[in-house]
Amino acid sequence: MSSDNQPFVTDSSKVGTETREARLAGQDNRFNSRLREAFGSSPFILTKFDKFMNWVRGSSMFMLQFGIACCSIEMMHTYAVKHDLDRFGAGVPRASPRQADVIIIPGTIVSKFAPRMKRVYDQMPEPKFVIGMGSCTISGGPFQEGYNVVKGAEEVIPVDIHVPGCPPRPEALVYGVAKLQERVANGESSPVTVKPYELEEFGDLERDEIVEQLADDIDVDDLVMRYNWGDSP
Amino acid sequence: MSVELPADADAVQTPEEIEAVLGDLVIGRDDHENAPGFIIKPDTVVDALDRLREQAGFDHLSCVTAQEYADRYESIYHLTSYGDRTKEVSIIVPTDKENPVSQSANEVFRTADWHEREAYDLVGIEYDEHPDLRRILLPETWQGHPLGQSYDQDRPQVVPLREHANPLKEDQQADEDDETMFLNIGPHHPATHGVLHIETVLDGEQVVDLEPDIGYLHRCEEQVCQNSTYRYQIMPYPDRWDYISAGLLNEWAYARTAEQLADIEVPEYAQVIRTMGAELCRMAAHFLALGTFALDIYGDFTALFMYSIRDREKVQNILEELTGQRLMFNYFRLGGVVWDLPEPREEFFEMTRDFLDELPTALEEYHDMMTSNEILQMRTVDTGVLPADVAKSYGATGPVARASGIDYDVRRDDPYGYYENLDWDVITEDGCDNFSRLLVRMREVEESAKIVEQCIDLLEDWPEDERNIQSNVPRTIKPDDDAEIYKAVEGAKGELGIYMRADGTEKPARFKIRSPCFSNLQTLPEMSNGEYVPDAIASLGSLDIVLGEVDR
């Protein structure tokens, strides 16, 4: 067997296994590859559709081109040369939220911007994921005492991964993205349920006419955030 | 009049001469550390500023500070001259507590428009005859004035979108027979360099009216600084005003002001390090300006943007060696810098020299792809024209002013650091258009490289036993009660000034930031009205604003 035909295998003696030997007998060796090795003796993959979709989602993420403050500078560096987020299948920023499925929130959120950011998030199609970049998206960071500063992105939209730092280094952001991919691929970070947040407020109430009507009255576009000062830490 | 006035307006220099110009308008004196201060009545603002501009050569309204005392409100107009930066005067306008109304200076200096709106928004002084006195930084639904004394600064007032004014609503639309169209650009838009909102009215492809709407990144920087101590706590924040790697330049603005206020000396060796670091920062900031400008003009995300990021990475590596941080350096201390150059020093020098040696080749690439590119020339030459007198009226500074032929650079005109001992030039261009602003930035990178090179030569030969990085500064700094100062440095975007008032404690009673981007952005309508939409975007890119500094 000539190794010239097998670009994936450099030294066939090192990757030879019993399974492989068994398979090799009388087979066309173009079916042999590392991928085949990984999948076992059958050239077919059996998996759950959900699991497959999760793997696909995690492996090809379209980021939203979304800059707020200081962290967006480091985010640009993460996309660009040297750090090159594209290596991890997550490096093409989309200018429109309609085409994106991950939003990185890079910076401080203030009262005037919070409703706008919620609007941008709402415009993204499901399933969507959120990476909070920097301390400001965790707690308001160094500006926490500011009269105008929203104390963390989670006051406004749900966040999947927090990357701490002020600002985080590009390496840290890459790590955060990789962690998110891992979670998505494992199905741990389930897609956000399509449901107006406020419906939660009705809790276990029986869905009688009144509750239904109240639910209908909710204008989803108008919901700013599931935000309640009383519950805030 | 006891003082003989010189015939030439620019020759008016001494406080006595300025007082003679103002004549009977002066009702008191309240001198600041940097300049004489004259108190005038609230209804004579236009008169006083007009006299100072016409008869004493004060043609630059650098900043308007507003503050509330226990018994009064006060607006301070910090005036200086484009021809002579060391000539400064403060015009102080007290207004009473019950009814804080003061005359607007908008008639004399167009830049007062936004500055007074900010004063109204944050402190609560109302300006008579102001063309458009609305909130500027906070949402229009905000209740109260947060830098006023009675305001409870507890929590942000977040309201749903429906509470905000919606220009697209029917009742705000133009009449049907009108042929204009309203267009929102931003606050989330790739070409706005952050969270800027531009309300544009279009007639076909032409801009009829354009108004920047800011405040989407108002992070209460002034309040945060007022709640921090001079010695250590304030210094990390300047990094976050202009965050395009211009951290050391901003830190220098605070360091310079506080050092003069508290009378702190800085050793010469530290000044050389500061100068070198600051110029490296300026280069990094200008690189990003070039890259994003190319991105705005012809969507070049692949080549030029990556080139500029590549060069920024090199500068950031050097700065990281020096300060320990990529972006938020926190390297300056009052009275010096926090630590010496990294050991082994030879490696650091070699690294920096390598970068400087490669720079001419890199700049040649930029020139090949940008300035000699016909598409870019068609888009930028003679678009976004900003005549020098308009730029002066709006208080434009930095590369924006220098591209309009205004020979003004704080580094040279009001020297600080080690600049006056080095050999470098102030770059000006006479084109007044987008192309000139691009050229000025590119040539300033060369000048900065010259400065860095000279600093390295100096540092290399500096005797080992004279490497004093910090003077002896007390642990707590308490400047005298009621000492006031306004000082500026040349940031990456222009004149970055800081006003501080001490109240005898270890925290400033008022901390006001004069941001160059804030004033520069104000010129956008002048440059864009009547032009095409893409040219308006090009003009915005050429202004090179940072929203963190515009909104503070």
Side-chain angles (χ1 to χ4, degrees):
Chain A
M1 182 176 80
S2 138
S3 62
D4 294 338
N5 299 332
Q6 296 186 332
F8 298 108
V9 180
T10 47
D11 181 358
S12 59
S13 68
K14 284 191 180 156
V15 293
T17 59
E18 279 182 25
T19 356
R20 187 159 176 267
E21 296 305 320
R23 245 191 293 125
L24 274 178
Q27 286 263 2
D28 187 344
N29 59 13
R30 71 196 148 111
F31 287 115
N32 291 317
S33 68
R34 286 237 173 121
L35 196 61
R36 175 86 180 270
E37 190 66 36
F39 287 140
S41 59
S42 154
F44 301 101
I45 309 167
L46 281 180
T47 178
K48 283 188 205 152
F49 188 68
D50 267 6
K51 205 170 172 184
F52 177 68
M53 282 310 289
N54 283 338
W55 175 74
V56 169
R57 270 183 201 129
S59 311
S60 165
M61 288 187 155
F62 278 29
M63 314 306 236
L64 176 63
Q65 186 180 351
F66 183 69
I68 304 180
C70 336
C71 284
S72 52
I73 304 300
E74 287 296 63
M75 188 181 74
M76 280 159 57
H77 278 259
T78 318
Y79 286 138
V81 287
K82 185 170 173 186
H83 298 99
D84 191 10
L85 192 59
D86 211 7
R87 288 176 298 166
F88 306 95
V92 187
R94 316 301 300 183
S96 161
R98 311 275 186 205
Q99 303 168 346
D101 48 22
V102 181
I103 176 173
I104 300 179
I105 306 173
T108 320
I109 304 147
V110 302
S111 69
K112 198 171 175 178
F113 193 61
R116 270 86 174 176
M117 186 179 78
K118 168 75 167 55
R119 172 65 62 92
V120 170
Y121 173 78
D122 283 346
Q123 287 174 346
M124 289 166 59
E126 304 277 357
K128 49 193 169 189
F129 308 97
V130 181
I131 298 175
M133 183 181 182
S135 304
C136 290
T137 61
I138 297 174
S139 63
F143 303 102
Q144 200 192 17
E145 288 171 14
Y147 50 82
N148 193 28
V149 175
V150 173
K151 277 87 182 145
E154 259 175 337
E155 312 269 337
V156 188
I157 59 178
V159 177
D160 291 288
I161 293 271
H162 284 292
V163 182
C166 190
R169 296 177 64 90
E171 292 89 334
L173 183 62
V174 170
Y175 180 73
V177 172
K179 275 286 166 192
L180 177 67
Q181 290 178 324
E182 200 181 305
R183 288 190 60 186
V184 172
N186 291 340
E188 284 171 28
S189 187
S190 56
V192 176
T193 328
V194 189
K195 161 175 120 175
Y197 304 132
E198 259 69 359
L199 279 187
E200 293 168 14
E201 305 245 324
F202 298 106
D204 297 331
L205 277 182
E206 204 178 319
R207 296 289 157 140
D208 59 16
E209 285 165 19
I210 299 171
V211 173
E212 287 297 339
Q213 200 202 327
L214 284 174
D216 286 345
D217 282 348
I218 294 172
D219 178 3
V220 186
D221 276 347
D222 185 57
L223 297 176
V224 170
M225 51 208 85
R226 46 171 164 192
Y227 189 58
N228 180 354
W229 283 110
D231 298 342
S232 138
Chain B
M1 259 184 264
S2 56
V3 180
E4 195 70 25
L5 274 181
D8 182 16
D10 291 332
V12 175
Q13 286 287 355
T14 62
E16 289 71 33
E17 284 167 351
I18 297 169
E19 189 162 2
V21 168
L22 286 170
D24 54 354
L25 298 178
V26 179
I27 55 170
R29 279 291 285 273
D30 180 13
D31 284 0
H32 295 174
E33 301 285 319
N34 62 309
F38 298 98
I39 302 175
I40 62 167
K41 285 193 184 139
D43 55 351
T44 56
V45 174
V46 169
D47 204 3
L49 296 191
D50 195 48
R51 279 191 206 176
L52 285 173
R53 191 177 68 171
E54 299 305 326
Q55 299 170 26
F58 287 101
D59 56 353
H60 180 27
L61 175 58
S62 181
C63 180
V64 180
T65 305
Q67 54 185 330
E68 187 181 357
Y69 285 89
D71 59 338
R72 65 182 190 280
Y73 284 93
E74 206 175 86
S75 318
I76 306 173
Y77 294 85
H78 303 278
L79 292 163
T80 176
S81 161
Y82 276 106
D84 178 5
R85 182 63 182 76
T86 52
K87 190 166 115 177
E88 290 178 277
V89 67
S90 307
I91 298 300
I92 299 151
V93 190
T95 42
D96 78 87
K97 194 90 175 175
E98 298 305 314
N99 185 25
V101 181
S102 175
Q103 195 179 21
S104 168
N106 180 51
E107 204 177 294
V108 193
F109 293 103
R110 288 288 293 119
T111 184
D113 182 349
W114 277 23
H115 282 282
E116 286 173 350
R117 274 177 71 188
E118 188 193 318
Y120 162 73
D121 190 1
L122 299 183
V123 182
I125 302 175
E126 285 173 31
Y127 291 90
D128 244 359
E129 300 159 36
H130 191 282
D132 184 22
L133 195 63
R134 289 178 289 131
R135 288 194 180 273
I136 187 167
L137 294 176
L138 294 168
E140 65 273 14
T141 55
W142 197 272
Q143 304 295 313
H145 302 281
L147 291 184
Q149 288 190 333
S150 56
Y151 187 81
D152 172 20
Q153 299 182 335
D154 202 19
R155 54 189 49 164
Q157 302 169 9
V158 183
V159 296
L161 264 185
R162 80 180 125 79
E163 304 282 343
H164 293 264
N166 181 359
L168 291 177
K169 257 192 186 159
E170 271 174 32
D171 60 337
Q172 300 203 22
Q173 261 171 4
D175 299 330
E176 269 181 29
D177 55 331
D178 206 333
E179 292 189 348
T180 58
M181 185 182 96
F182 183 87
L183 179 71
N184 274 317
I185 305 178
H188 159 65
H189 189 277
T192 53
H193 293 216
V195 282
L196 171 68
H197 176 202
I198 308 174
E199 297 167 354
T200 35
V201 178
L202 304 180
D203 180 2
E205 193 78 346
Q206 273 179 312
V207 176
V208 179
D209 186 31
L210 176 149
E211 200 201 328
D213 171 28
I214 61 173
Y216 293 95
L217 196 52
H218 175 53
R219 305 192 276 193
C220 328
E221 304 267 15
E222 290 173 7
Q223 176 217 22
V224 167
C225 289
Q226 286 171 28
N227 293 341
S228 310
T229 58
Y230 292 105
R231 183 73 174 91
Y232 298 112
Q233 290 179 350
I234 292 179
M235 198 54 98
Y237 285 97
D239 286 322
R240 289 159 178 82
W241 301 341
D242 174 0
Y243 44 71
I244 316 280
S245 281
L248 294 181
L249 296 157
N250 304 347
E251 285 175 26
W252 209 339
Y254 170 64
R256 186 181 190 198
T257 317
E259 277 156 9
Q260 189 168 345
L261 183 69
D263 214 3
I264 298 168
E265 289 293 314
V266 183
E268 210 173 330
Y269 180 66
Q271 293 285 30
V272 180
I273 298 183
R274 281 182 174 189
T275 310
M276 178 191 69
E279 289 310 309
L280 284 168
C281 281
R282 191 184 310 277
M283 289 158 95
H286 281 358
F287 281 138
L288 194 76
L290 300 181
T292 50
F293 191 56
L295 195 60
D296 287 344
I297 298 286
Y298 43 83
D300 183 355
F301 191 66
T302 41
L304 258 178
F305 183 76
M306 295 297 172
Y307 280 20
S308 65
I309 294 284
R310 172 200 65 190
D311 289 322
R312 269 176 62 85
E313 286 284 357
K314 289 182 193 164
V315 183
Q316 282 190 315
N317 282 346
I318 299 172
L319 285 167
E320 192 182 352
E321 287 292 316
L322 180 68
T323 67
Q325 273 282 339
R326 273 173 62 88
L327 203 58
M328 302 298 165
F329 310 108
N330 192 16
Y331 180 62
F332 285 13
R333 291 290 176 275
L334 299 187
V337 295
V338 63
W339 46 59
D340 202 352
L341 302 180
E343 295 288 343
R345 294 163 68 93
E346 298 72 38
E347 268 181 35
F348 178 76
F349 293 134
E350 197 190 325
M351 182 179 183
T352 318
R353 279 195 199 286
D354 282 351
F355 165 68
L356 294 176
D357 290 345
E358 289 165 10
L359 194 64
T361 327
L363 284 172
E364 215 164 282
E365 279 175 352
Y366 287 119
H367 278 296
D368 277 351
M369 298 185 67
M370 287 189 86
T371 46
S372 55
N373 182 326
E374 276 178 44
I375 302 174
L376 187 125
Q377 287 179 0
M378 283 165 67
R379 291 287 314 278
T380 54
V381 174
D382 283 338
T383 62
V385 176
L386 183 69
D389 55 330
V390 179
K392 281 184 180 176
S393 175
Y394 278 98
T397 49
V400 177
R402 290 195 280 273
S404 292
I406 303 172
D407 192 12
Y408 178 77
D409 190 319
V410 183
R411 287 176 291 175
R412 181 200 58 196
D413 299 340
D414 181 15
Y416 56 98
Y418 212 71
Y419 287 113
E420 50 188 335
N421 307 326
L422 302 173
D423 175 33
W424 59 284
D425 297 313
V426 175
I427 305 293
T428 54
E429 289 280 337
D430 296 328
C432 309
D433 54 5
N434 293 338
F435 192 64
S436 304
R437 287 187 275 277
L438 173 70
L439 279 184
V440 164
R441 290 208 177 82
M442 294 186 68
R443 290 176 56 202
E444 277 188 13
V445 169
E446 293 169 25
E447 294 302 317
S448 295
K450 260 161 78 179
I451 298 177
V452 172
E453 195 157 28
Q454 294 171 51
C455 289
I456 297 237
D457 289 342
L458 284 166
L459 291 170
E460 250 176 348
D461 302 333
W462 211 276
E464 198 165 349
D465 50 349
E466 288 172 30
R467 290 179 194 161
N468 187 5
I469 55 163
Q470 249 186 61
S471 58
N472 203 359
V473 182
R475 188 171 281 268
T476 12
I477 294 175
K478 290 184 182 173
D480 297 335
D481 191 10
D482 214 31
E484 294 171 64
I485 186 167
Y486 174 76
K487 268 286 167 202
V489 300
E490 184 75 18
K493 321 289 190 239
E495 179 182 331
L496 176 61
I498 290 175
Y499 165 86
M500 276 196 279
R501 174 167 66 88
D503 60 356
T505 65
E506 56 186 38
K507 295 175 181 175
R510 180 78 173 99
F511 192 99
K512 161 85 183 153
I513 307 156
R514 188 265 183 208
S515 136
C517 295
F518 185 77
S519 299
N520 290 352
L521 180 59
Q522 239 181 313
T523 62
L524 185 62
E526 292 283 343
M527 291 155 62
S528 308
N529 286 353
E531 303 266 342
Y532 291 117
V533 194
D535 292 342
I537 296 294
S539 304
L540 178 65
S542 77
L543 283 179
D544 186 26
I545 51 160
V546 186
L547 270 300
E549 198 177 59
V550 174
D551 296 343
R552 284 153 287 143

